[in-house]
Amino acid sequence: MPTSSDEDHPAAHLRITEVSAGYGPVPVIRDVSLTVAIGEVVAVIGPNGAGKSTLLKTVLGILRPSHGRVELAGRRIDGMATNQVARLGVGYVPQVRDVFEPLTVRENLEMGGYTLPRRQVAGRLDEIMTLYPALAAMQDRPAGYLSGGERKLLAVCRVLMRRPSLLVLDEPTAGLAPQPAHALLFEHVPGLAAEGRAVLLVEQHAQDALAVSHWAYVLASGQVQLAGPAAAVRQRGDLGDIFLGRTISRPGG
Ligand SMILES: Nc1ncnc2c1ncn2[C@@H]1O[C@H](COP(=O)(O)OP(=O)(O)OP(=O)(O)O)[C@@H](O)[C@H]1O
Ligand SMILES: [Mg+2]
């Protein structure tokens, strides 16, 4: 796998530079820098409460950083409203409340394209049904009847209707059984990037996330503790210590 993200990543599509942000006077994340290029899956892993979702909120325009900048394709987006950020090509799949349960699969997809001209909606719907025949087969079923894995795939496809150039996934496997979680990460996530998008993946299943990612950042206590090619991060024996906030070079640790 190519491993190209870095501070000086020339082709960064998303570039987060020294961002600090929080909910009060004390920042929850501090000095976080991160890049994602088109075609790449970049994982952010770390323990509960590390600040992963907070970091995503600064990208989505939900939180305004107190310091630092967020750029999409070279354009500064921190401080923009969420709908403006979405219009610029950022697609977000939240951890919960990700589909409209009473609506059918097809209606959910149509809702995903609600800002598009009607003719375009039909075309994109066809595209998605062709790419994901499993969804096409259940297009008339209410989303509330779907299995966890099917539902998450629908949530992703709903966001794809607007053809985002950056896809932000917050713990897409949360609440899924091991088999559908594995299928989502291994069968679908790599393709989402390979089709020409940048994918920023926050994941609890750290080892699986690292297996499908090009680059990884370990966030603990609001700071990047470690960054590097996902394969290299995966092989570190001290990942557990870093997760627990113990410093990498701790003597005897
Ligand atoms: N709306 C909020 N107001 C105040 N504090 C918040 C808010 N949301 C999150 N926090 C706090 O910010 C810190 C980081 O939370 P965040 O949700 O970013 O963690 P996370 O890494 O996504 O954790 P998890 O893996 O459990 O989803 C936590 O201490 C949390 O309590
Ligand atoms: Mg979170």
Side-chain angles (χ1 to χ4, degrees), residues 60-73:
L60 302 165
I62 299 168
L63 267 186
R64 191 185 200 122
S66 56
H67 180 262
R69 55 204 291 148
V70 181
E71 289 153 298
L72 184 75

Side-chain angles (χ1 to χ4, degrees), residues 149 173 175-182 205:
T173 67
L176 294 188
Q179 199 279 327
H182 189 276
H205 296 102

Side-chain angles (χ1 to χ4, degrees), residues 31-45:
D31 269 337
V32 174
S33 295
L34 173 159
T35 58
V36 190
I38 294 286
E40 271 188 339
V41 180
V42 169
V44 176
I45 56 173

Side-chain angles (χ1 to χ4, degrees), residues 23 28 47-54 57 171 204:
Y23 307 92
V28 167
N48 294 123
K52 304 181 298 295
S53 295
T54 302
K57 287 178 203 169
E171 301 197 21
Q204 281 287 320

Side-chain angles (χ1 to χ4, degrees), residues 33-242:
S33 295
L34 173 159
T35 58
V36 190
I38 294 286
E40 271 188 339
V41 180
V42 169
V44 176
I45 56 173
N48 294 123
K52 304 181 298 295
S53 295
T54 302
L55 176 65
L56 297 189
K57 287 178 203 169
T58 68
V59 174
L60 302 165
I62 299 168
L63 267 186
R64 191 185 200 122
S66 56
H67 180 262
R69 55 204 291 148
V70 181
E71 289 153 298
L72 184 75
R75 180 169 180 180
R76 201 155 172 188
I77 60 168
D78 55 275
M80 282 186 183
T82 51
N83 60 350
Q84 203 178 352
V85 170
R87 247 198 326 272
L88 288 174
V90 178
Y92 168 51
V93 181
Q95 186 177 328
V96 290
R97 289 190 290 275
D98 50 1
V99 297
F100 299 102
E101 292 188 356
L103 301 186
T104 65
V105 166
R106 167 180 281 270
E107 287 164 345
N108 265 277
L109 292 172
E110 285 169 353
M111 288 287 289
Y114 74 99
T115 54
L116 304 172
R118 187 134 197 94
R119 212 156 16 99
Q120 235 173 47
V121 172
R124 296 205 184 167
L125 204 63
D126 284 346
E127 261 174 44
I128 285 176
M129 297 291 192
T130 307
L131 268 172
Y132 299 95
L135 278 187
M138 55 183 89
Q139 57 179 293
D140 297 321
R141 201 177 300 172
Y145 293 174
L146 301 186
S147 74
E150 292 164 350
R151 180 191 169 115
K152 194 49 86 172
L153 183 61
L154 173 60
V156 171
C157 287
R158 198 166 75 81
V159 169
L160 293 185
M161 285 290 287
R162 288 176 68 162
R163 289 212 185 133
S165 59
L166 170 68
L167 196 56
V168 177
L169 307 172
D170 194 357
E171 301 197 21
T173 67
L176 294 188
Q179 199 279 327
H182 189 276
L184 185 76
L185 283 181
F186 287 83
E187 289 168 27
H188 297 303
V189 168
L192 294 170
E195 285 158 14
R197 298 181 197 93
V199 178
L200 180 58
L201 171 70
V202 164
E203 245 310 316
Q204 281 287 320
H205 296 102
Q207 290 297 329
D208 288 346
L210 293 172
V212 299
S213 298
H214 301 89
W215 202 265
Y217 294 82
V218 181
L219 195 69
S221 308
Q223 288 188 294
V224 174
Q225 310 288 340
L226 177 66
V233 172
R234 199 169 173 220
Q235 271 158 22
R236 287 186 71 119
D238 56 355
L239 209 50
D241 286 341
I242 299 168

